[in-house]
């Protein structure tokens, strides 16, 4: 004889209830049947599982060890059940997107809204990660789609450009440079300037550009993200240069945007996992992303050209 699934069910019920009577009720059977099954289990495995004390079953040390294995078995079964329920709940499909934080705050919300207008029964899972972990996770084929600033596709992926648009100058209310339609590098000379972190790649590009032109800004603050930079600028702590996706989000809160005469493009690229099963939702989601890019570009052009100060 060998252990059967029924034996495992009886043993689990006995361990859970510590009572033959309660185990029988749990299994929708009789007390004598449970007692017989317990005797058979002990015969098959060759050792005692329970002692009786005060009318209750007290598991032996061997029973406790065996129960740990039984619990692992049921955990696996519960995972299968949970996965089946998940698939049943998301019959419209599920898309997993991995992105830099900046895109989760700027580009993705509008794209998701457009996407759901077409695919109301679908589900989107958005995970946020910084480089280089973002690229590593895409290489591991853990996501359907990635959004990155990097221009080189990591192993196991291919890259497709989504957006290239110049970085912009952001200024607070009442700043003297608001009278200009376009900001020259020389205009930053002596101005209070809020910078991104010293390791940010765009910060490094702008620092090198100002150094080549011999322009000295007054670097009064550093902040880790473009959103935090814009918040500081809005409070009048200086001006800055950030990506236009973030800048446009702060216009309604009193931030002003101007083009910079020197062009440093801000790029958004799509990353596709080459060895992951094809997801039919990728194509409509990319279409929604491109529509959102058009909306943002139009709004940026309108904002920078309609200022009452621009000359």
């Amino acid at each position: 004889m060998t252990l059967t699934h029924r034996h495992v069910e009886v043993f689990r019920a006995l361990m859970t209830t510590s009572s033959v009577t309660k185990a029988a009720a749990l299994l929708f059977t009789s007390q004598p049947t449970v007692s017989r099954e317990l005797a058979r289990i002990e015969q098959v495995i060759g050792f005692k599982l329970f002692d009786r004390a005060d009318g209750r079953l007290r598991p032996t040390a061997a029973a406790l060890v065996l129960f740990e294995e039984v619990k692992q078995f049921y955990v696996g079964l519960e995972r299968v059940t949970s996965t089946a329920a998940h698939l049943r709940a998301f019959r419209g499909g599920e898309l997993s997107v991995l992105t830099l934080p900046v895109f989760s705050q700027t580009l993705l919300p509008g794209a998701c809204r457009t996407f759901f207008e077409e695919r109301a029964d679908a589900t989107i899972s958005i995970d946020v990660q910084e480089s280089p972990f973002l690229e590593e996770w895409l290489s591991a084929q853990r996501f359907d789609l990635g959004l990155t600033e990097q221009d080189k596709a990591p192993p196991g992926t291919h890259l497709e450009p989504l957006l290239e648009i110049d970085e912009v100058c952001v200024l607070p209310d009442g700043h003297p440079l608001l009278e200009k339609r376009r900001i020259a590098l020389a205009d930053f000379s002596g101005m209070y300037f809020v910078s991104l972190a010293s390791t940010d790649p765009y910060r490094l590009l702008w620092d090198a550009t100002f150094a080549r032109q011999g322009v000295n800004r007054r670097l009064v603050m550093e902040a880790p993200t473009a959103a935090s930079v814009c918040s500081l600028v809005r409070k009048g702590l200086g001006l800055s240069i950030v990506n236009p996706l973030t800048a446009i989000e702060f216009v309604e809160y009193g931030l002003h945007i101007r083009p910079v005469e020197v062009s440093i493009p801000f790029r958004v690229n799509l990353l596709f996992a080459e060895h992951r099963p094809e997801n039919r939702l990728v194509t409509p989601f990319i279409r929604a992303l491109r529509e959102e890019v058009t909306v943002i570009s139009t709004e940026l052009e309108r904002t920078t050209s309609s200022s009452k100060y621009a000359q």
Side-chain angles (χ1 to χ4, degrees):
M1 294 177 65
T2 58
L3 284 176
T4 65
H5 288 293
R6 181 59 176 174
H7 291 149
V8 174
E9 288 178 348
V10 170
F11 174 64
R12 180 174 182 253
L14 288 167
M15 289 293 294
T16 302
T17 64
S18 300
S19 166
V20 173
T21 302
K22 292 180 180 179
L26 187 64
L27 296 169
F28 301 99
T29 188
S30 66
Q31 180 178 341
T33 298
V34 172
S35 296
R36 285 196 302 271
E37 292 290 350
L38 174 57
R40 288 171 183 162
I41 295 170
E42 292 180 331
Q43 181 183 3
V44 170
I45 63 179
F47 53 82
K48 193 175 184 180
L49 290 171
F50 296 95
D51 295 318
R52 288 190 176 273
D54 301 325
R56 296 183 65 83
L57 296 178
R58 178 178 295 171
T60 64
L64 293 172
V65 173
L66 185 62
F67 190 45
E68 289 300 316
E69 294 300 320
V70 169
K71 286 192 289 186
Q72 292 300 315
F73 168 80
Y74 275 93
V75 167
L77 184 61
E78 288 167 359
R79 285 177 179 170
V80 172
T81 303
S82 175
T83 300
H86 179 80
L87 292 172
R88 183 170 59 252
F90 301 119
R91 286 191 294 267
E94 183 175 14
L95 179 70
S96 59
V97 180
L98 182 63
T99 178
L100 293 173
V102 60
F103 304 140
S104 70
Q105 301 162 0
T106 57
L107 184 59
L108 284 175
C112 289
R113 180 183 58 192
T114 300
F115 173 82
F116 283 124
E117 291 174 356
E118 178 182 348
R119 302 273 179 164
D121 59 343
T123 302
I124 299 175
S125 171
I126 298 176
D127 282 86
V128 173
Q129 187 55 270
E130 296 282 2
S131 295
F133 298 108
L134 181 146
E135 288 76 22
E136 291 177 3
W137 287 12
L138 263 297
S139 289
Q141 314 298 301
R142 294 172 59 178
F143 295 86
D144 298 311
L145 183 67
L147 281 84
T148 180
E149 295 175 352
Q150 301 296 318
D151 292 329
K152 183 178 180 182
T157 71
H158 70 272
L159 182 146
E160 182 179 313
L162 176 67
L163 170 67
E164 180 175 314
I165 190 168
D166 284 344
E167 294 225 306
V168 295
C169 177
V170 289
L171 310 99
D173 282 334
H175 197 282
L177 290 182
L178 286 175
E179 296 181 358
K180 303 196 65 172
R181 181 184 296 276
R182 185 177 296 270
I183 311 299
L185 287 188
D187 295 327
F188 289 90
S189 181
M191 291 287 178
Y192 287 107
F193 194 92
V194 182
S195 294
L196 287 165
S198 59
T199 56
D200 184 270
Y202 287 98
R203 156 78 183 271
L204 296 174
L205 285 172
W206 282 112
D207 282 355
T209 301
F210 281 110
R212 283 195 302 270
Q213 296 295 322
V215 175
N216 294 315
R217 300 156 292 162
R218 299 185 65 178
L219 305 181
V220 292
M221 296 192 70
E222 287 187 0
T225 66
S228 56
V229 167
C230 287
S231 294
L232 293 168
V233 169
R234 187 170 64 91
K235 292 296 185 179
L237 296 172
L239 74 167
S240 190
I241 299 175
V242 297
N243 75 79
L245 300 185
T246 302
I248 200 71
E249 293 290 322
F250 281 81
V251 169
E252 61 180 299
Y253 301 109
L255 197 75
H256 300 270
I257 300 175
R258 293 290 184 275
V260 183
E261 284 189 350
V262 173
S263 169
I264 290 186
F266 177 77
R267 296 185 178 89
V268 184
N269 293 313
L270 300 171
L271 279 178
F272 302 86
E274 293 182 334
H275 308 299
R276 185 178 173 89
E278 183 178 355
N279 189 324
R280 61 187 176 85
L281 298 179
V282 169
T283 297
F285 189 73
I286 292 175
R287 185 162 58 246
L289 281 170
R290 296 196 183 282
E291 288 184 25
E292 183 63 13
V293 164
T294 300
V295 169
I296 291 173
S297 299
T298 302
E299 178 63 17
L300 184 66
E301 183 178 357
R302 184 193 66 80
T303 301
T304 55
S305 63
S306 62
S307 170
K308 63 181 180 179
Y309 296 107
Q311 295 179 357

